[in-house]
Each structure stands twice: as structure tokens, then as C-alpha cells.
Amino acid sequence: MNNILLPVAGFSGRQLTGNKINKTVRKIGDLKTIFSDQAAYGDTSPDKIVYEVESYLPVKEGTTGGLFFGITFIQPGKVGDEYFMTKGHFHKIADRAEFYWGIEGEGMLILMDKYRKTWAEKMYPGSLHYIDGYTAHRTANTGASVLSFGACWPSDAGHDYDSISQRGFSKILVQENGQPILIDRK
Ligand code: PAN
Ligand code: ZN
């Protein structure tokens, strides 16, 4: 029996455990160019946590043929009318695809293709989302509790954050009459 090993990482309750887990915390202060209402952004405490990501990286970043696994936890909240959301990115190797799936809470997966056409998919516990290559992706928490979702992506995909921090998505997700809607970015 001693050739049978426990897995090196596990998913227990809401958390990833193990020794190859990477944790990232993103606070308001790290998201300067992300939210469109700069006045409301300036009024929000820079120390407020917007989201955290726990990733299991079993191979070296950049390895061709491997996979990464992550769980993202987005706090409920808004900057102005815009929901708390992730920075968003294209993959550095642009054709690399990804799966997302909803675990808890409610939200929207906002997608933008290379022609800057933007649309969104509803996220809820059990929702499953295929993100095609060449498609920028970000998630927003539209509920009153934490939104968490799983992700699986190729270990050579990389993240291109620059195009999004410079030009954003062509549409933003805001609350209007209590409902999330996508509107053109001014
Ligand atoms: C996800 C994201 C995670 C955080 O694991 O990296 O949700 O979003 P940002 O990376 O845009 O800050 C993923 O899409 N990985 O490829
Ligand atoms: Zn991604």
C-alpha cells in the first residue's frame, strides 16, 4: 500500500490546500485603471479587498501541455454603480481557452472578443462557461454575498493585463434599477 500517495493538493470546503498553492489578493488600491467611475474610486478605501485567487500550479508557468486550477473569491460591493470585478485579461498566448464554473453566489462573466464585441454570461452555483481563445474575460459579483468560481486553464496561457488596463472592455457592467446591465463605456 505504500506506493499509494495522497494528492498533493485538495479542495476542502471553500479553500484550496497543499504546497503548490499560490494566493493573490487584489485590493481597491491595486485596481486603479479598472473601474470607470474615478471619483467613486477615489472615495473607496484603498485597503478594501475586492477579490482573492487561490491557484494550484502543479507545473512551472509556461509549460506547454500542463493545466492550472484556481478558485476566485469576489467580495460583494460596487465602485459607483459598477460591481466589484476582476482586472480581466486576454491570455498572452491568445488562442488558449479556459473553463470557469460557478461555485457560490451570483455574478456575470464578461467576455470581449478581439473585435471588442462584449457580452456576458450569468454565473451561479453549477454554471459552466467555456471561454474561447482570443476572448478577454473578467467576472463581476452581482449578488449580496461572496461570488466564488473555479477555473482551469493551460499552464502556458499567461496573462495579458495591459490591453485591458489601457483600453478596458468596450462595455461595463453596472447596476440600474437594482439589476445588472451592460452599457457602453464612456
Ligand atoms: C482566472 C483569473 C482570476 C482573477 O484564474 O486569473 O479570476 O482574474 P484576473 O487574473 O483578471 O485578475 C483566469 O482567468 N486565469 O487564466
Ligand atoms: Zn484566464
Side-chain angles (χ1 to χ4, degrees):
M1 288 297 265
N2 60 4
N3 60 344
I4 298 174
L5 302 175
L6 286 170
V8 297
F11 179 44
S12 93
R14 300 180 59 208
Q15 276 198 315
L16 275 179
T17 53
N19 59 6
K20 291 183 176 171
I21 307 299
N22 185 63
K23 296 191 185 187
T24 311
V25 180
R26 300 277 185 222
K27 300 181 177 177
I28 285 285
D30 304 318
L31 303 170
K32 186 158 175 34
T33 59
I34 298 303
F35 292 100
S36 57
D37 184 339
Q38 284 298 304
Y41 177 82
D43 290 340
T44 315
S45 160
D47 290 331
K48 193 164 173 52
I49 292 178
V50 178
Y51 65 99
E52 290 159 272
V53 187
E54 297 184 355
S55 311
Y56 172 37
L57 312 174
V59 294
K60 202 166 165 270
E61 173 110 47
T63 304
T64 305
L67 292 171
F68 289 157
F69 177 94
I71 313 277
T72 302
F73 303 89
I74 309 180
Q75 294 300 318
K78 281 181 284 151
V79 173
D81 294 329
E82 196 173 17
Y83 296 99
F84 276 11
M85 61 182 177
T86 59
K87 286 163 76 161
H89 56 269
F90 287 97
H91 287 152
K92 206 163 243 166
I93 300 186
D95 69 358
R96 297 307 194 247
E98 180 162 5
F99 269 121
Y100 276 8
W101 58 98
I103 297 174
E104 60 181 347
E106 43 187 275
M108 289 282 185
L109 166 60
I110 306 163
L111 298 158
M112 182 177 75
D113 69 15
K114 57 184 171 189
Y115 306 108
R116 297 186 58 76
K117 180 183 157 233
T118 298
W119 69 102
E121 295 179 5
K122 237 181 167 131
M123 298 184 91
Y124 50 89
S127 66
L128 183 59
H129 310 268
Y130 178 71
I131 302 166
D132 213 349
Y134 302 99
T135 307
H137 42 288
R138 81 158 26 130
T139 44
N141 184 345
T142 57
S145 58
V146 170
L147 168 72
S148 70
F149 64 91
C152 184
W153 69 99
S155 47
D156 63 353
H159 296 102
D160 163 19
Y161 291 108
D162 288 351
S163 352
I164 301 301
S165 67
Q166 284 157 19
R167 291 189 71 198
F169 281 57
S170 60
K171 289 179 188 289
I172 59 171
L173 189 77
V174 295
Q175 189 179 59
E176 221 179 76
N177 303 321
Q179 295 300 318
I181 64 159
L182 270 181
I183 58 168
D184 286 339
R185 193 163 174 261
K186 280 167 217 143

